[in-house]
Structures are given as C-alpha cells and as structure tokens.
Amino acid sequence: QPVQGDHKNPALSHSEFGQQHRILGTITYPVEWSRSLATSFGFYFNIANGNSFRGAGGNRYSFIYSGDVNMDGSTLNDLIYIPASQSEIMLDPFTDSNGNTVTANQQWAALDAFIEQDPYLSQNRGQIAERFGLLNPFWSNIDFKIMQDFMFGNVGSEHKIRLNFDFLNFANLLSSSWGVRQVANAAATNPLTLTRFDGDTPVFNFNMIDHTFDADLSEISRWRFQLGIQYLFN
C-alpha cells in the first residue's frame, strides 16, 4: 500500500479501480422486411477515463520511489515528492548504458520536462503524490451489432432463429489508431531511485523516462468479431 510517509497512518485517497466520468449510449434501428424476416442494427458507445474493471489491474496509478525513503522496511511503497524546482531534490550523477555520465543538471532538466508533460504531476508540484492519484486518460469504445431474425410458426406462437454479428471496438476496424487505450509505463510510475542519504536528505537518480502513457496493445485495444446464434420460442 503506497504511503505518503507514515505507513501506520495512511492518508485517505482514491480507490485503485475508481473512475471519474463515464458516458454510455445506445442507438438501435430495427427493420421488418416481412413477417418472417427482420434485421436490427445497433451501436453501443462507452466513453470513460480510467479502464473498466476486468478482474486484474486498475484504473489508477501511484508514483513511488524505488528505495526505502521513509525507512519502513519496504522499497516499493513510498510515494514521491513532486519537486517544484531543482533546489527541492538532490540528484547523483550516474553512467548510462552507453558509458556516458549523466549529470545532476541533465537529470533535473529531464525530470522537469517529464513532470510538465504529465497533467497530474504538473498540477501537484510541491506536494507528495497521492495514492492512486494518476488516472488513465479518456478512452472510447464503440461496438456495432447486427441481429438477423428468421421467424416461423403460427401467429402468436412464432419461433425465431436469431443470428448475432458483433463487431467489438468497431472504430479500431476502421482505423488502427482509433479505439486504442493508454496505460502507464512502469518506468514512469517508478521514476526515481534512492541512491544514498546525505545526512537526513535522500539522494536520487532519475531514470530519464520522457512520457507517462503507452498504447495498450492487448486485445482490449483491438477490434474483434464474434458470431452468435439463438433459438427463441414461445
């Protein structure tokens, strides 16, 4: 459980699965061709910020340090302080994978740009990040459904065979850039590594990440098709 300092007294904060806004809409259009033949067309809209609950993974994220800053024995639960200026954070030089030295000033310039590109971080400079304060961006999902009915039997006791053609995340079928959801990069939510203490002051390295969100390339961001058949009777 991410904490802002005292792990024995966690502050009231957001649920990991909490959404803020959600808009649902349905448009259907039925056509009766004859007494034995009917078709229904439907669009189903779902627009929200924060992903839907799917049994695992949440809609919100916490920005935490890599390292035990509050000395509670855990290296995975300390929420970061979002610096308002370079004077509010101490950074150690480090050598990158190419053998180049990354100075404290270079790290601050990159960290400052990273904070500015993220709406949550940029709006909360000078504060400790909230538990699950970062929310997934808005996403949209449009499903397209065709139901084809074949009726037979006597009036009042008709039987019906229904074929269902479902195009899930239909917008992604039209364009590969539509209907794609965003998820936070793990490096973005864990951007600062504790290297040492200078007296009581923690000193960090910044991992040089430059963005918060990546495209979610799982099936939830891809169009899918499903075919169903129903037999309905009175």
Side-chain angles (χ1 to χ4, degrees):
Q1 171 159 288
V3 294
Q4 292 186 327
D6 184 1
H7 67 283
K8 297 180 180 179
N9 186 29
L12 183 67
S13 192
H14 307 282
S15 164
E16 183 178 1
F17 302 100
Q19 289 183 330
Q20 281 189 328
H21 307 288
R22 189 180 185 196
I23 302 169
L24 300 175
T26 302
I27 299 174
T28 57
Y29 183 73
V31 180
E32 291 189 9
W33 309 103
S34 66
R35 194 183 74 83
S36 60
L37 194 63
T39 308
S40 180
F41 304 91
F43 283 98
Y44 304 87
F45 305 89
N46 188 358
I47 303 171
N49 60 338
N51 285 330
S52 299
F53 177 76
R54 292 168 61 84
N59 309 316
R60 292 177 174 269
Y61 307 88
S62 300
F63 289 101
I64 59 175
Y65 293 114
S66 178
D68 189 5
V69 177
N70 66 350
M71 306 297 288
D72 66 351
S74 173
T75 61
L76 301 172
N77 70 340
D78 298 341
L79 293 161
I80 70 169
Y81 175 79
I82 308 165
S85 64
Q86 186 173 3
S87 64
E88 294 186 341
I89 185 170
M90 290 186 66
L91 297 163
D92 262 344
F94 70 90
T95 302
D96 65 16
S97 58
N98 296 318
N100 300 315
T101 299
V102 184
T103 67
N105 287 339
Q106 290 172 320
Q107 290 177 66
W108 167 250
L111 174 58
D112 189 50
F114 172 69
I115 293 172
E116 280 303 302
Q117 65 82 42
D118 184 281
Y120 178 82
L121 293 175
S122 61
Q123 293 169 15
N124 290 276
R125 284 180 180 265
Q127 301 179 57
I128 299 175
E130 300 169 282
R131 183 173 72 249
F132 301 125
L134 177 65
L135 187 66
N136 270 332
F138 267 98
W139 54 270
S140 62
N141 187 85
I142 302 173
D143 297 334
F144 176 48
K145 185 181 188 73
I146 302 173
M147 291 189 300
Q148 180 63 56
D149 291 341
F150 303 91
M151 285 81 73
F152 57 93
N154 299 321
V155 176
S157 60
E158 296 97 336
H159 290 220
K160 184 185 297 183
I161 292 177
R162 172 175 291 167
L163 295 178
N164 298 287
F165 304 90
D166 296 305
F167 296 87
L168 307 177
N169 198 4
F170 181 67
N172 188 248
L173 174 61
L174 304 180
S175 171
S176 61
S177 62
W178 295 350
V180 178
R181 303 196 189 189
Q182 301 290 308
V183 292
N185 187 306
T189 57
N190 197 209
L192 294 166
T193 299
L194 177 68
T195 59
R196 61 186 175 89
F197 281 92
D198 183 359
D200 292 329
T201 303
V203 185
F204 303 99
N205 283 155
F206 175 55
N207 64 13
M208 307 301 282
I209 186 76
D210 61 2
H211 63 283
T212 304
F213 291 99
D214 290 323
D216 181 353
L217 301 181
S218 68
E219 71 164 31
I220 200 171
S221 293
R222 304 171 187 168
W223 74 271
R224 289 99 69 204
F225 173 76
Q226 62 185 21
L227 173 66
I229 185 170
Q230 295 173 278
Y231 176 56
L232 301 94
F233 56 90
N234 291 324

mmCIF file of all heavy atoms in Angstrom, residues 133-167:
data_model
loop_
_atom_site.group_PDB
_atom_site.id
_atom_site.type_symbol
_atom_site.label_atom_id
_atom_site.label_comp_id
_atom_site.label_asym_id
_atom_site.label_seq_id
_atom_site.Cartn_x
_atom_site.Cartn_y
_atom_site.Cartn_z
ATOM 1 N N GLY A 133 -3.231 8.496 -7.416
ATOM 2 C CA GLY A 133 -3.646 9.820 -7.872
ATOM 3 C C GLY A 133 -3.701 9.944 -9.381
ATOM 4 O O GLY A 133 -4.433 10.774 -9.923
ATOM 5 N N LEU A 134 -2.897 9.145 -10.099
ATOM 6 C CA LEU A 134 -2.838 9.231 -11.558
ATOM 7 C C LEU A 134 -3.925 8.367 -12.168
ATOM 8 O O LEU A 134 -4.030 7.173 -11.890
ATOM 9 C CB LEU A 134 -1.461 8.764 -12.052
ATOM 10 C CG LEU A 134 -1.273 8.733 -13.570
ATOM 11 C CD1 LEU A 134 -1.342 10.143 -14.157
ATOM 12 C CD2 LEU A 134 0.042 8.059 -13.934
ATOM 13 N N LEU A 135 -4.724 8.973 -13.042
ATOM 14 C CA LEU A 135 -5.850 8.287 -13.669
ATOM 15 C C LEU A 135 -5.566 8.063 -15.145
ATOM 16 O O LEU A 135 -4.993 8.920 -15.818
ATOM 17 C CB LEU A 135 -7.115 9.145 -13.512
ATOM 18 C CG LEU A 135 -8.451 8.554 -13.941
ATOM 19 C CD1 LEU A 135 -8.832 7.382 -13.035
ATOM 20 C CD2 LEU A 135 -9.536 9.628 -13.871
ATOM 21 N N ASN A 136 -5.984 6.909 -15.664
ATOM 22 C CA ASN A 136 -5.838 6.660 -17.096
ATOM 23 C C ASN A 136 -6.577 7.711 -17.904
ATOM 24 O O ASN A 136 -7.642 8.182 -17.492
ATOM 25 C CB ASN A 136 -6.400 5.281 -17.455
ATOM 26 C CG ASN A 136 -5.357 4.196 -17.370
ATOM 27 O OD1 ASN A 136 -4.183 4.431 -17.545
ATOM 28 N ND2 ASN A 136 -5.790 2.979 -17.100
ATOM 29 N N PRO A 137 -6.065 8.079 -19.067
ATOM 30 C CA PRO A 137 -6.755 9.073 -19.902
ATOM 31 C C PRO A 137 -8.100 8.553 -20.409
ATOM 32 O O PRO A 137 -8.400 7.358 -20.342
ATOM 33 C CB PRO A 137 -5.781 9.280 -21.073
ATOM 34 C CG PRO A 137 -4.478 8.728 -20.632
ATOM 35 C CD PRO A 137 -4.793 7.643 -19.661
ATOM 36 N N PHE A 138 -8.897 9.482 -20.946
ATOM 37 C CA PHE A 138 -10.168 9.097 -21.542
ATOM 38 C C PHE A 138 -9.941 8.099 -22.678
ATOM 39 O O PHE A 138 -8.958 8.186 -23.414
ATOM 40 C CB PHE A 138 -10.893 10.323 -22.107
ATOM 41 C CG PHE A 138 -11.858 10.941 -21.137
ATOM 42 C CD1 PHE A 138 -11.488 12.037 -20.383
ATOM 43 C CD2 PHE A 138 -13.134 10.428 -20.971
ATOM 44 C CE1 PHE A 138 -12.365 12.615 -19.486
ATOM 45 C CE2 PHE A 138 -14.021 10.988 -20.079
ATOM 46 C CZ PHE A 138 -13.647 12.090 -19.338
ATOM 47 N N TRP A 139 -10.865 7.164 -22.806
ATOM 48 C CA TRP A 139 -10.852 6.221 -23.914
ATOM 49 C C TRP A 139 -12.285 6.074 -24.406
ATOM 50 O O TRP A 139 -13.245 6.443 -23.724
ATOM 51 C CB TRP A 139 -10.307 4.853 -23.474
ATOM 52 C CG TRP A 139 -11.016 4.263 -22.293
ATOM 53 C CD1 TRP A 139 -10.697 4.432 -20.975
ATOM 54 C CD2 TRP A 139 -12.195 3.427 -22.307
ATOM 55 N NE1 TRP A 139 -11.574 3.764 -20.163
ATOM 56 C CE2 TRP A 139 -12.507 3.138 -20.964
ATOM 57 C CE3 TRP A 139 -12.984 2.904 -23.308
ATOM 58 C CZ2 TRP A 139 -13.595 2.341 -20.606
ATOM 59 C CZ3 TRP A 139 -14.071 2.110 -22.959
ATOM 60 C CH2 TRP A 139 -14.365 1.831 -21.618
ATOM 61 N N SER A 140 -12.431 5.568 -25.605
ATOM 62 C CA SER A 140 -13.759 5.352 -26.164
ATOM 63 C C SER A 140 -13.837 3.966 -26.784
ATOM 64 O O SER A 140 -12.844 3.455 -27.316
ATOM 65 C CB SER A 140 -14.101 6.417 -27.212
ATOM 66 O OG SER A 140 -13.198 6.353 -28.294
ATOM 67 N N ASN A 141 -14.997 3.379 -26.696
ATOM 68 C CA ASN A 141 -15.231 2.067 -27.290
ATOM 69 C C ASN A 141 -16.594 2.099 -27.981
ATOM 70 O O ASN A 141 -17.591 2.516 -27.396
ATOM 71 C CB ASN A 141 -15.218 0.979 -26.217
ATOM 72 C CG ASN A 141 -15.288 -0.416 -26.815
ATOM 73 O OD1 ASN A 141 -14.268 -0.986 -27.195
ATOM 74 N ND2 ASN A 141 -16.490 -0.975 -26.935
ATOM 75 N N ILE A 142 -16.618 1.667 -29.237
ATOM 76 C CA ILE A 142 -17.854 1.610 -29.999
ATOM 77 C C ILE A 142 -18.019 0.185 -30.514
ATOM 78 O O ILE A 142 -17.150 -0.328 -31.226
ATOM 79 C CB ILE A 142 -17.842 2.591 -31.186
ATOM 80 C CG1 ILE A 142 -17.622 4.022 -30.701
ATOM 81 C CG2 ILE A 142 -19.144 2.499 -31.975
ATOM 82 C CD1 ILE A 142 -17.428 5.019 -31.824
ATOM 83 N N ASP A 143 -19.112 -0.454 -30.146
ATOM 84 C CA ASP A 143 -19.438 -1.787 -30.649
ATOM 85 C C ASP A 143 -20.576 -1.665 -31.663
ATOM 86 O O ASP A 143 -21.502 -0.868 -31.478
ATOM 87 C CB ASP A 143 -19.870 -2.719 -29.516
ATOM 88 C CG ASP A 143 -18.759 -2.958 -28.502
ATOM 89 O OD1 ASP A 143 -17.577 -2.851 -28.882
ATOM 90 O OD2 ASP A 143 -19.078 -3.260 -27.340
ATOM 91 N N PHE A 144 -20.508 -2.447 -32.720
ATOM 92 C CA PHE A 144 -21.537 -2.457 -33.755
ATOM 93 C C PHE A 144 -22.138 -3.845 -33.817
ATOM 94 O O PHE A 144 -21.416 -4.839 -33.891
ATOM 95 C CB PHE A 144 -20.933 -2.071 -35.107
ATOM 96 C CG PHE A 144 -21.898 -2.134 -36.256
ATOM 97 C CD1 PHE A 144 -23.161 -1.560 -36.175
ATOM 98 C CD2 PHE A 144 -21.539 -2.784 -37.436
ATOM 99 C CE1 PHE A 144 -24.040 -1.613 -37.241
ATOM 100 C CE2 PHE A 144 -22.411 -2.840 -38.510
ATOM 101 C CZ PHE A 144 -23.674 -2.255 -38.408
ATOM 102 N N LYS A 145 -23.472 -3.910 -33.758
ATOM 103 C CA LYS A 145 -24.151 -5.204 -33.687
ATOM 104 C C LYS A 145 -25.230 -5.294 -34.762
ATOM 105 O O LYS A 145 -25.985 -4.345 -34.976
ATOM 106 C CB LYS A 145 -24.796 -5.383 -32.308
ATOM 107 C CG LYS A 145 -25.433 -6.739 -32.051
ATOM 108 C CD LYS A 145 -26.048 -6.781 -30.658
ATOM 109 C CE LYS A 145 -26.514 -8.168 -30.285
ATOM 110 N NZ LYS A 145 -25.375 -9.054 -30.003
ATOM 111 N N ILE A 146 -25.279 -6.428 -35.432
ATOM 112 C CA ILE A 146 -26.358 -6.736 -36.380
ATOM 113 C C ILE A 146 -27.057 -7.989 -35.881
ATOM 114 O O ILE A 146 -26.403 -9.015 -35.626
ATOM 115 C CB ILE A 146 -25.816 -6.971 -37.804
ATOM 116 C CG1 ILE A 146 -25.046 -5.751 -38.301
ATOM 117 C CG2 ILE A 146 -26.960 -7.312 -38.754
ATOM 118 C CD1 ILE A 146 -24.357 -5.983 -39.628
ATOM 119 N N MET A 147 -28.376 -7.906 -35.722
ATOM 120 C CA MET A 147 -29.168 -9.073 -35.339
ATOM 121 C C MET A 147 -30.121 -9.400 -36.494
ATOM 122 O O MET A 147 -30.928 -8.554 -36.895
ATOM 123 C CB MET A 147 -29.967 -8.809 -34.064
ATOM 124 C CG MET A 147 -29.122 -8.672 -32.821
ATOM 125 S SD MET A 147 -30.085 -8.627 -31.284
ATOM 126 C CE MET A 147 -31.104 -7.172 -31.544
ATOM 127 N N GLN A 148 -30.017 -10.596 -37.010
ATOM 128 C CA GLN A 148 -30.864 -11.040 -38.109
ATOM 129 C C GLN A 148 -31.826 -12.113 -37.594
ATOM 130 O O GLN A 148 -31.382 -13.172 -37.121
ATOM 131 C CB GLN A 148 -30.012 -11.600 -39.249
ATOM 132 C CG GLN A 148 -30.808 -12.083 -40.441
ATOM 133 C CD GLN A 148 -31.577 -10.955 -41.098
ATOM 134 O OE1 GLN A 148 -30.996 -9.953 -41.495
ATOM 135 N NE2 GLN A 148 -32.898 -11.096 -41.190
ATOM 136 N N ASP A 149 -33.128 -11.813 -37.652
ATOM 137 C CA ASP A 149 -34.151 -12.730 -37.147
ATOM 138 C C ASP A 149 -34.870 -13.425 -38.291
ATOM 139 O O ASP A 149 -35.263 -12.790 -39.288
ATOM 140 C CB ASP A 149 -35.181 -11.969 -36.306
ATOM 141 C CG ASP A 149 -34.609 -11.453 -34.997
ATOM 142 O OD1 ASP A 149 -33.555 -11.972 -34.571
ATOM 143 O OD2 ASP A 149 -35.196 -10.528 -34.406
ATOM 144 N N PHE A 150 -35.081 -14.726 -38.131
ATOM 145 C CA PHE A 150 -35.873 -15.536 -39.044
ATOM 146 C C PHE A 150 -37.027 -16.122 -38.227
ATOM 147 O O PHE A 150 -36.791 -16.914 -37.313
ATOM 148 C CB PHE A 150 -35.034 -16.654 -39.663
ATOM 149 C CG PHE A 150 -33.814 -16.165 -40.393
ATOM 150 C CD1 PHE A 150 -32.593 -16.032 -39.734
ATOM 151 C CD2 PHE A 150 -33.873 -15.842 -41.739
ATOM 152 C CE1 PHE A 150 -31.463 -15.597 -40.404
ATOM 153 C CE2 PHE A 150 -32.745 -15.403 -42.424
ATOM 154 C CZ PHE A 150 -31.535 -15.269 -41.755
ATOM 155 N N MET A 151 -38.279 -15.705 -38.526
ATOM 156 C CA MET A 151 -39.438 -16.148 -37.770
ATOM 157 C C MET A 151 -40.222 -17.187 -38.562
ATOM 158 O O MET A 151 -40.337 -17.085 -39.792
ATOM 159 C CB MET A 151 -40.347 -14.962 -37.440
ATOM 160 C CG MET A 151 -39.817 -14.054 -36.341
ATOM 161 S SD MET A 151 -38.578 -12.871 -36.915
ATOM 162 C CE MET A 151 -39.586 -11.712 -37.854
ATOM 163 N N PHE A 152 -40.748 -18.146 -37.837
ATOM 164 C CA PHE A 152 -41.601 -19.149 -38.474
ATOM 165 C C PHE A 152 -42.587 -19.659 -37.431
ATOM 166 O O PHE A 152 -42.399 -19.506 -36.222
ATOM 167 C CB PHE A 152 -40.764 -20.292 -39.065
ATOM 168 C CG PHE A 152 -39.870 -20.982 -38.072
ATOM 169 C CD1 PHE A 152 -40.285 -22.116 -37.396
ATOM 170 C CD2 PHE A 152 -38.589 -20.488 -37.809
ATOM 171 C CE1 PHE A 152 -39.457 -22.740 -36.484
ATOM 172 C CE2 PHE A 152 -37.759 -21.114 -36.900
ATOM 173 C CZ PHE A 152 -38.187 -22.239 -36.239
ATOM 174 N N GLY A 153 -43.664 -20.281 -37.901
ATOM 175 C CA GLY A 153 -44.697 -20.773 -36.990
ATOM 176 C C GLY A 153 -45.953 -19.944 -37.111
ATOM 177 O O GLY A 153 -46.042 -18.980 -37.890
ATOM 178 N N ASN A 154 -46.950 -20.257 -36.296
ATOM 179 C CA ASN A 154 -48.236 -19.569 -36.329
ATOM 180 C C ASN A 154 -48.179 -18.241 -35.586
ATOM 181 O O ASN A 154 -47.350 -18.048 -34.691
ATOM 182 C CB ASN A 154 -49.329 -20.459 -35.716
ATOM 183 C CG ASN A 154 -49.506 -21.755 -36.481
ATOM 184 O OD1 ASN A 154 -49.432 -21.766 -37.722
ATOM 185 N ND2 ASN A 154 -49.731 -22.851 -35.754
ATOM 186 N N VAL A 155 -49.076 -17.308 -35.964
ATOM 187 C CA VAL A 155 -49.154 -16.015 -35.296
ATOM 188 C C VAL A 155 -49.463 -16.227 -33.815
ATOM 189 O O VAL A 155 -50.386 -16.972 -33.453
ATOM 190 C CB VAL A 155 -50.232 -15.127 -35.952
ATOM 191 C CG1 VAL A 155 -50.371 -13.821 -35.177
ATOM 192 C CG2 VAL A 155 -49.905 -14.860 -37.414
ATOM 193 N N GLY A 156 -48.713 -15.574 -32.952
ATOM 194 C CA GLY A 156 -48.892 -15.712 -31.503
ATOM 195 C C GLY A 156 -48.031 -16.796 -30.897
ATOM 196 O O GLY A 156 -47.884 -16.860 -29.667
ATOM 197 N N SER A 157 -47.498 -17.654 -31.714
ATOM 198 C CA SER A 157 -46.615 -18.715 -31.182
ATOM 199 C C SER A 157 -45.419 -18.914 -32.111
ATOM 200 O O SER A 157 -44.998 -20.032 -32.379
ATOM 201 C CB SER A 157 -47.389 -20.018 -31.023
ATOM 202 O OG SER A 157 -47.903 -20.455 -32.281
ATOM 203 N N GLU A 158 -44.914 -17.763 -32.609
ATOM 204 C CA GLU A 158 -43.795 -17.855 -33.529
ATOM 205 C C GLU A 158 -42.530 -18.368 -32.840
ATOM 206 O O GLU A 158 -42.309 -18.121 -31.658
ATOM 207 C CB GLU A 158 -43.473 -16.480 -34.141
ATOM 208 C CG GLU A 158 -44.575 -15.903 -35.001
ATOM 209 C CD GLU A 158 -45.424 -14.921 -34.210
ATOM 210 O OE1 GLU A 158 -45.447 -15.041 -32.966
ATOM 211 O OE2 GLU A 158 -46.065 -14.061 -34.837
ATOM 212 N N HIS A 159 -41.758 -19.071 -33.623
ATOM 213 C CA HIS A 159 -40.413 -19.435 -33.206
ATOM 214 C C HIS A 159 -39.449 -18.534 -33.975
ATOM 215 O O HIS A 159 -39.779 -18.021 -35.046
ATOM 216 C CB HIS A 159 -40.128 -20.902 -33.504
ATOM 217 C CG HIS A 159 -40.906 -21.824 -32.623
ATOM 218 N ND1 HIS A 159 -40.367 -22.980 -32.098
ATOM 219 C CD2 HIS A 159 -42.181 -21.777 -32.177
ATOM 220 C CE1 HIS A 159 -41.278 -23.597 -31.367
ATOM 221 N NE2 HIS A 159 -42.404 -22.889 -31.409
ATOM 222 N N LYS A 160 -38.281 -18.353 -33.432
ATOM 223 C CA LYS A 160 -37.355 -17.402 -34.037
ATOM 224 C C LYS A 160 -35.928 -17.930 -33.942
ATOM 225 O O LYS A 160 -35.494 -18.410 -32.896
ATOM 226 C CB LYS A 160 -37.447 -16.058 -33.310
ATOM 227 C CG LYS A 160 -36.610 -14.941 -33.901
ATOM 228 C CD LYS A 160 -36.686 -13.683 -33.029
ATOM 229 C CE LYS A 160 -38.108 -13.141 -32.975
ATOM 230 N NZ LYS A 160 -38.167 -11.874 -32.181
ATOM 231 N N ILE A 161 -35.217 -17.844 -35.054
ATOM 232 C CA ILE A 161 -33.780 -18.088 -35.070
ATOM 233 C C ILE A 161 -33.102 -16.741 -35.274
ATOM 234 O O ILE A 161 -33.428 -16.003 -36.209
ATOM 235 C CB ILE A 161 -33.381 -19.074 -36.179
ATOM 236 C CG1 ILE A 161 -33.935 -20.468 -35.863
ATOM 237 C CG2 ILE A 161 -31.851 -19.148 -36.301
ATOM 238 C CD1 ILE A 161 -33.653 -21.496 -36.953
ATOM 239 N N ARG A 162 -32.180 -16.401 -34.413
ATOM 240 C CA ARG A 162 -31.507 -15.094 -34.465
ATOM 241 C C ARG A 162 -30.006 -15.296 -34.626
ATOM 242 O O ARG A 162 -29.368 -16.008 -33.842
ATOM 243 C CB ARG A 162 -31.790 -14.295 -33.206
ATOM 244 C CG ARG A 162 -30.981 -13.000 -33.085
ATOM 245 C CD ARG A 162 -31.403 -12.206 -31.873
ATOM 246 N NE ARG A 162 -32.747 -11.673 -32.040
ATOM 247 C CZ ARG A 162 -33.476 -11.149 -31.044
ATOM 248 N NH1 ARG A 162 -32.970 -11.100 -29.813
ATOM 249 N NH2 ARG A 162 -34.684 -10.700 -31.273
ATOM 250 N N LEU A 163 -29.479 -14.627 -35.635
ATOM 251 C CA LEU A 163 -28.032 -14.591 -35.821
ATOM 252 C C LEU A 163 -27.509 -13.247 -35.315
ATOM 253 O O LEU A 163 -28.071 -12.194 -35.641
ATOM 254 C CB LEU A 163 -27.674 -14.764 -37.294
ATOM 255 C CG LEU A 163 -28.023 -16.109 -37.942
ATOM 256 C CD1 LEU A 163 -27.633 -16.095 -39.414
ATOM 257 C CD2 LEU A 163 -27.333 -17.256 -37.225
ATOM 258 N N ASN A 164 -26.445 -13.278 -34.520
ATOM 259 C CA ASN A 164 -25.821 -12.070 -33.978
ATOM 260 C C ASN A 164 -24.435 -11.898 -34.585
ATOM 261 O O ASN A 164 -23.592 -12.800 -34.502
ATOM 262 C CB ASN A 164 -25.690 -12.160 -32.453
ATOM 263 C CG ASN A 164 -27.028 -12.264 -31.757
ATOM 264 O OD1 ASN A 164 -27.772 -11.301 -31.673
ATOM 265 N ND2 ASN A 164 -27.337 -13.451 -31.252
ATOM 266 N N PHE A 165 -24.216 -10.728 -35.174
ATOM 267 C CA PHE A 165 -22.905 -10.376 -35.708
ATOM 268 C C PHE A 165 -22.397 -9.182 -34.896
ATOM 269 O O PHE A 165 -22.949 -8.084 -34.991
ATOM 270 C CB PHE A 165 -23.002 -10.007 -37.189
ATOM 271 C CG PHE A 165 -23.630 -11.079 -38.050
ATOM 272 C CD1 PHE A 165 -24.994 -11.104 -38.252
ATOM 273 C CD2 PHE A 165 -22.840 -12.053 -38.645
ATOM 274 C CE1 PHE A 165 -25.578 -12.077 -39.047
ATOM 275 C CE2 PHE A 165 -23.408 -13.039 -39.440
ATOM 276 C CZ PHE A 165 -24.786 -13.049 -39.634
ATOM 277 N N ASP A 166 -21.380 -9.405 -34.084
ATOM 278 C CA ASP A 166 -20.882 -8.370 -33.180
ATOM 279 C C ASP A 166 -19.470 -7.948 -33.576
ATOM 280 O O ASP A 166 -18.552 -8.776 -33.628
ATOM 281 C CB ASP A 166 -20.859 -8.876 -31.726
ATOM 282 C CG ASP A 166 -22.250 -9.191 -31.215
ATOM 283 O OD1 ASP A 166 -23.104 -8.300 -31.274
ATOM 284 O OD2 ASP A 166 -22.469 -10.336 -30.762
ATOM 285 N N PHE A 167 -19.324 -6.637 -33.863
ATOM 286 C CA PHE A 167 -18.010 -6.058 -34.123
ATOM 287 C C PHE A 167 -17.620 -5.243 -32.890
ATOM 288 O O PHE A 167 -18.169 -4.158 -32.662
ATOM 289 C CB PHE A 167 -18.062 -5.161 -35.367
ATOM 290 C CG PHE A 167 -18.391 -5.898 -36.634
ATOM 291 C CD1 PHE A 167 -19.712 -6.112 -37.007
ATOM 292 C CD2 PHE A 167 -17.378 -6.389 -37.440
ATOM 293 C CE1 PHE A 167 -20.016 -6.795 -38.177
ATOM 294 C CE2 PHE A 167 -17.673 -7.063 -38.612
ATOM 295 C CZ PHE A 167 -18.997 -7.276 -38.982
#
